[in-house]
Amino acid sequence: MSIGSLLAWMVLTLAALGFTSSLVWAGGTDKPSDTRRDEKWLQAFLGPNSHLPFSFVYGRQASGDVVRAWPRMTQSRALGEDRTEHVVTWTDPKTQLQVRLAALSYAGSPVVEWTVYFKNDGKADTPILEDVQAIDMSVPVVGNGMPTLLYSRGAVGMDTYSLQRRSLNQLEDFRMSNGSGGKTAETIPFFDIRMEGRGLIGALGWAGQWAISFSRPTEAAIDVRAGMANTHLSLHPGEEIRTPLILLLSWEGDDIDAHNVLRRHVLKYHTPHYDGKPVVLPVSHVTWGGTKTSTSLNLIDQISKENLGFESFWMDAGWYGADRPVAEFQVFGQEDWFLHAGNWRINRVAHPDGMRPISDAVHAKGMKYLLWFEPERAVVGTPLTVEHPEWFIGEDGAEFGGDLKRPFVKWRLFNFGDPIARQAMINLMSDLITKEGIDIFRQDCNFGPASFWAQADARDRQGMTQIRYVEGLLEFWDQLRQRHPQLILDIVQRGDLDSISRGVDLSRADYPVYPEADPIANQFSTQGLAYWRPHFGTIFQIRPRDDYHFRSGFSPGTGFGLFNSGGTPQQVGKFIPADFPFEWLRAEITQYKRLRPYYYGDYYPLLPCSSNADCTTNAGNERSADFEWAAWQFNRPEQRDGIVQAFRRSSNEESTRNLLLRGLDPNKQYLVTGPDKGLRSTMSGRDLMQLGLRVEITEKPGAAILFYAQTR
């Protein structure tokens, strides 16, 4: 798929926005500072028939009816060698409302991004600004087939992040959202509208409550609208707000090639970088935060003595709160971590000298130290809620079975939109990071903040609390990184562009942690997320000598524990048995580390569920995923090598499959090796792509890993 064909399709799909071909020069050979090209780009907004790529209602009038008559200013400037910012500002001459579109185009890339800002530059409150849509566009339908929508589910249950396809017809609308505004439970904010070899990929950046809707009012077009779930507000003099970040990438030709263009863009522009390189997600040993210091130190010594190759020692929830005896092992539904959230002092019964002895021991062994936090929520009665109640929003409660003396728990939302409160939280967390030697700051969110935002909004300020909160949350993360440049932020399961640009997600889902979790869930997650972005992690409970289970969890980041620190009461407290197969685990981790760099390459799904399977996880359904193979390829064309992972699931009766590889040079030879059985063969790129690579997995379930490299 050439850049030229992508640009041609961008012209078509964005025509409804008023953009002309001058908008999509991003993949051309002109330099970013080409003044003539920038002027042409801006002309897309100056014509009498131009359309905005966003919409809103202002003083009960639709933006399309009023903005066209407002004076506008335009400006372009180069941001380095590969990006150009284009700013268009419209000003209402009556109320002095400024609407500013800040768009980015990229040299050598068909991606376009923008953010819309609103500012009251007048001396009185503005009329009501409502129904703000960060993107509002009509995508023309081409071809005779039924357009479809490709998207992925959110982080919930067995089918976490599984790919979904939905027909876009005139009979029904479809809405994607993240529900209550915290973790992404329903769907992630990425989509691909597909039409006979062409499509439009989109994504959102918004660490709050977002919604994306699709409708087809006529056969000729699909309407796409996205933004915050609710806006109805007046801006005070001098106030400014932003809307969600929008990314669009149009494509023509091969859909997987298009998604690899997206992956490369996300890797370069929406992935945390350290020392000029994308973040490397660690192999983590996951430990419960209530595990005593003495126990933790013994565990660190043991995993170091066995030379297992862990790169991070992860302490999850349970380390904080009032001084009290705590269970060293998490029992799901019976722990007390939930009751002390918001009290970020160290429990001195479990950790008499704080966390520093643990982090010092971790650093001495060459690992990073991860510590869990949930700064957005505080249980009512914890010190900060008493000392500074003005820093919190709303109140909610729920039954919690972990403490029979206090089964009903109330909590409040810490207001990151309050500058004073936010600065206090930045200082508190920054001091803890320094004092306790934290390398990875894990931020969880175990509730839905949207209801709290709504509680705090005045009638004519609906959405304002959320906007300020999201802006403040991004500043919180940015300030932590500025104060601690090597700090890795682990932002749990939000998944939007703004969040993944600042932090990783080392536990893309909770389901694999459960002892009874089916490893197919981890396979689904890799298949589903790899379409959209290259960095994410997973955690799971280890099953000794189970290659299939362990390899199902291979992803850009992987974490697990050597003893059961979570699960059922019967599993609690079971330390590493004397006969634990350290040699097996050492070999698996070594092999995983060999695979890990390839996950940032181009992704090719080789065996999604077959055409006669519905990809469900219902074990009683003979067409379910349990009867399938799964396989994918990560290819690094610059290094001329790659990997193939294949899984034969438990009900499948075929011991071999032929896999047609992608992205190779047909005129070169490739050495294919399989470490498990000593496979070693040489094939041409043409044969690997046209005839295929024959893979055998004799066990069911079973997993295979293959490496290939171009010979010189």
Side-chain angles (χ1 to χ4, degrees):
M1 178 179 56
S2 69
I3 291 295
S5 63
L6 279 167
L7 295 180
W9 176 233
M10 182 71 87
V11 172
L12 176 62
T13 56
L14 297 185
L17 304 183
F19 294 160
T20 65
S21 59
S22 56
L23 170 65
V24 293
W25 48 259
T29 57
D30 293 339
K31 295 181 180 179
S33 58
D34 189 321
T35 303
R36 288 178 301 172
R37 181 195 56 207
D38 293 344
E39 290 176 350
K40 290 180 179 179
W41 191 95
L42 294 170
Q43 289 300 318
F45 300 97
L46 299 178
N49 297 318
S50 62
H51 296 274
L52 301 177
F54 58 93
S55 69
F56 58 93
V57 175
Y58 185 53
R60 298 186 178 181
Q61 290 185 288
S63 54
D65 297 332
V66 297
V67 173
R68 190 177 293 113
W70 293 355
R72 72 196 73 185
M73 295 179 59
T74 61
Q75 182 181 9
S76 292
R77 61 174 181 144
L79 302 179
E81 292 294 325
D82 57 353
R83 293 184 300 159
T84 301
E85 180 186 55
H86 308 277
V87 178
V88 184
T89 304
W90 297 264
T91 302
D92 178 10
K94 295 181 180 179
T95 67
Q96 296 301 305
L97 175 72
Q98 288 186 357
V99 182
R100 186 173 83 255
L101 171 70
L104 290 176
S105 52
Y106 297 84
S109 171
V111 171
V112 176
E113 299 182 13
W114 70 73
T115 306
V116 180
Y117 300 83
F118 296 87
K119 182 179 181 180
N120 181 0
D121 208 31
K123 298 181 179 180
D125 289 352
T126 67
I128 293 296
L129 174 68
E130 59 188 329
D131 194 21
V132 177
Q133 299 296 315
I135 179 174
D136 190 343
M137 61 179 288
S138 182
V139 180
V141 174
V142 297
N144 298 318
M146 175 67 72
T148 60
L149 179 70
L150 181 75
Y151 65 99
S152 288
R153 293 193 64 189
V156 56
M158 173 70 175
D159 295 329
T160 289
Y161 300 117
S162 61
L163 285 171
Q164 306 290 311
R165 292 173 176 83
R166 184 184 184 92
S167 297
L168 293 172
N169 55 45
Q170 289 186 265
L171 299 179
E172 57 183 8
D173 299 341
F174 179 62
R175 185 176 185 270
M176 299 166 51
S177 75
N178 66 336
S180 57
K183 291 180 180 178
T184 300
E186 297 177 6
T187 55
I188 64 174
F190 289 78
F191 63 87
D192 185 5
I193 300 172
R194 301 181 168 205
M195 295 172 285
E196 293 189 357
R198 295 176 174 178
L200 182 67
I201 296 172
L204 266 67
W206 189 251
Q209 186 182 29
W210 51 263
I212 311 172
S213 63
F214 305 87
S215 61
R216 192 175 175 188
T218 69
E219 285 289 329
I222 297 166
D223 289 351
V224 182
R225 289 162 53 91
M228 283 179 54
N230 181 42
T231 48
H232 178 93
L233 53 89
S234 173
L235 293 177
H236 300 323
E239 277 193 323
E240 183 177 55
I241 59 173
R242 63 156 284 193
T243 65
L245 167 68
I246 299 296
L247 178 151
L248 288 183
L249 187 164
S250 66
W251 59 270
E252 180 179 13
D254 186 271
D255 61 320
I256 303 302
D257 285 344
H259 280 261
N260 281 321
V261 171
L262 174 69
R263 283 173 53 86
R264 286 173 175 258
H265 181 85
V266 170
L267 181 62
K268 186 173 183 178
Y269 298 106
H270 296 289
T271 297
H273 280 61
Y274 295 84
D275 302 320
K277 297 180 180 179
V279 62
V280 176
L281 278 65
V283 183
S284 299
H285 185 283
V286 183
T287 310
W288 183 238
T291 305
K292 294 177 181 177
T293 294
S294 56
T295 304
S296 298
L297 294 176
N298 290 334
L299 181 57
I300 293 166
D301 285 341
Q302 185 170 7
I303 63 177
S304 178
K305 177 183 177 182
E306 295 295 341
N307 193 29
L308 295 172
F310 284 108
E311 299 162 324
S312 169
F313 191 78
W314 171 332
M315 294 201 76
D316 213 76
W319 56 268
Y320 46 85
D323 293 335
R324 68 199 187 282
V326 293
E328 288 200 83
F329 306 95
Q330 180 188 18
V331 183
F332 295 141
Q334 297 185 27
E335 61 280 282
D336 74 347
W337 67 272
F338 197 91
L339 307 178
H340 296 268
N343 185 2
W344 305 118
R345 65 175 301 280
I346 298 169
N347 176 3
R348 297 290 171 168
V349 172
H351 306 290
D353 300 310
M355 314 307 287
R356 194 76 201 201
I358 300 176
S359 66
D360 283 348
V362 167
H363 295 151
K365 303 299 184 182
M367 296 184 289
K368 295 182 183 296
Y369 182 56
L370 179 153
L371 195 61
W372 180 99
F373 293 87
E374 193 182 5
E376 296 178 77
R377 181 176 66 91
V379 170
V380 173
T382 51
L384 207 57
T385 64
V386 175
E387 297 165 8
H388 291 283
E390 73 278 9
W391 290 354
F392 293 87
I393 300 173
E395 185 173 293
D396 201 356
E399 296 286 345
F400 185 73
D403 188 335
L404 297 179
K405 297 179 181 178
R406 193 181 177 190
F408 188 82
V409 185
K410 292 182 179 180
W411 62 88
R412 304 189 69 194
L413 175 69
F414 185 83
N415 187 8
F416 277 95
D418 181 335
I420 296 176
R422 180 172 64 250
Q423 193 59 52
M425 185 62 76
I426 292 171
N427 293 339
L428 172 63
M429 293 303 171
S430 182
D431 289 347
L432 281 169
I433 289 167
T434 300
K435 182 179 179 181
E436 306 303 335
I438 300 167
D439 304 293
I440 305 176
F441 180 92
R442 178 171 173 82
Q443 179 163 331
D444 209 341
C445 182
N446 290 291
F447 70 108
S451 62
F452 292 85
W453 297 326
Q455 289 179 51
D457 282 337
R459 188 172 183 180
D460 62 348
R461 302 274 284 175
Q462 296 174 39
M464 181 58 76
T465 303
Q466 179 182 168
I467 292 169
R468 291 289 179 251
Y469 186 96
V470 170
E471 292 170 342
L473 190 59
L474 298 184
E475 182 180 338
F476 171 69
W477 293 332
D478 291 342
Q479 284 292 319
L480 289 183
R481 278 292 308 273
Q482 288 177 20
R483 294 190 185 190
H484 310 276
Q486 294 302 310
L487 180 72
I488 296 176
L489 298 175
D490 177 17
I491 303 170
V492 180
Q493 297 168 23
R494 266 194 161 94
D496 65 286
L497 286 175
D498 280 339
S499 297
I500 67 174
S501 299
R502 292 164 169 81
V504 301
D505 184 358
L506 296 181
S507 61
R508 59 192 177 188
D510 294 336
Y511 173 81
V513 178
Y514 289 89
E516 68 277 9
D518 193 315
I520 291 179
N522 260 329
Q523 297 171 28
F524 278 169
S525 293
T526 297
Q527 286 177 314
L529 277 178
Y531 266 84
W532 313 104
R533 57 189 175 100
H535 68 96
F536 48 83
T538 190
I539 57 176
F540 52 88
Q541 290 204 22
I542 197 167
R543 299 176 187 175
R545 296 187 177 88
D546 189 337
D547 291 347
Y548 175 78
H549 176 265
F550 197 80
R551 295 178 183 182
S552 294
F554 282 3
S555 70
T558 297
F560 50 89
L562 291 192
F563 66 91
N564 290 312
S565 59
T568 65
Q570 292 73 30
Q571 295 173 302
V572 168
K574 294 185 179 179
F575 279 85
I576 306 170
D579 61 347
F580 187 89
F582 288 111
E583 184 176 350
W584 164 81
L585 182 59
R586 195 178 301 115
E588 287 295 319
I589 293 178
T590 298
Q591 183 157 261
Y592 164 72
K593 287 185 176 181
R594 184 182 172 192
L595 262 71
R596 182 171 54 185
Y598 294 92
Y599 287 116
Y600 284 165
D602 292 336
Y603 167 67
Y604 297 103
L606 303 178
L607 282 179
C609 288
S610 62
S611 59
N612 66 348
D614 58 15
C615 298
T616 66
T617 54
N618 180 2
N621 182 354
E622 292 195 1
R623 297 174 60 216
S624 72
D626 196 46
F627 288 78
E628 296 293 320
W629 274 58
W632 52 77
Q633 171 193 2
F634 286 96
N635 184 55
R636 302 192 300 179
E638 291 80 6
Q639 290 84 0
R640 300 185 296 277
D641 61 9
I643 60 168
V644 174
Q645 289 181 261
F647 301 89
R648 179 187 177 189
R649 293 168 177 166
S650 60
S651 297
N652 185 274
E653 298 298 332
E654 301 172 272
S655 61
T656 61
R657 292 298 295 265
N658 209 47
L659 306 179
L660 300 178
L661 303 193
R662 298 282 305 272
L664 309 182
D665 187 332
N667 300 314
K668 298 294 185 179
Q669 295 292 308
Y670 290 83
L671 175 64
V672 182
T673 58
D676 290 333
K677 297 183 179 180
L679 172 67
R680 188 179 180 89
S681 64
T682 300
M683 298 179 66
S684 70
R686 179 174 288 104
D687 286 346
L688 286 169
M689 291 189 293
Q690 295 181 1
L691 301 179
L693 176 65
R694 190 169 182 82
V695 178
E696 181 181 22
I697 303 178
T698 56
E699 304 86 4
K700 62 171 190 175
I705 299 171
L706 300 169
F707 295 84
Y708 63 84
Q710 188 182 123
T711 59
R712 299 186 181 275

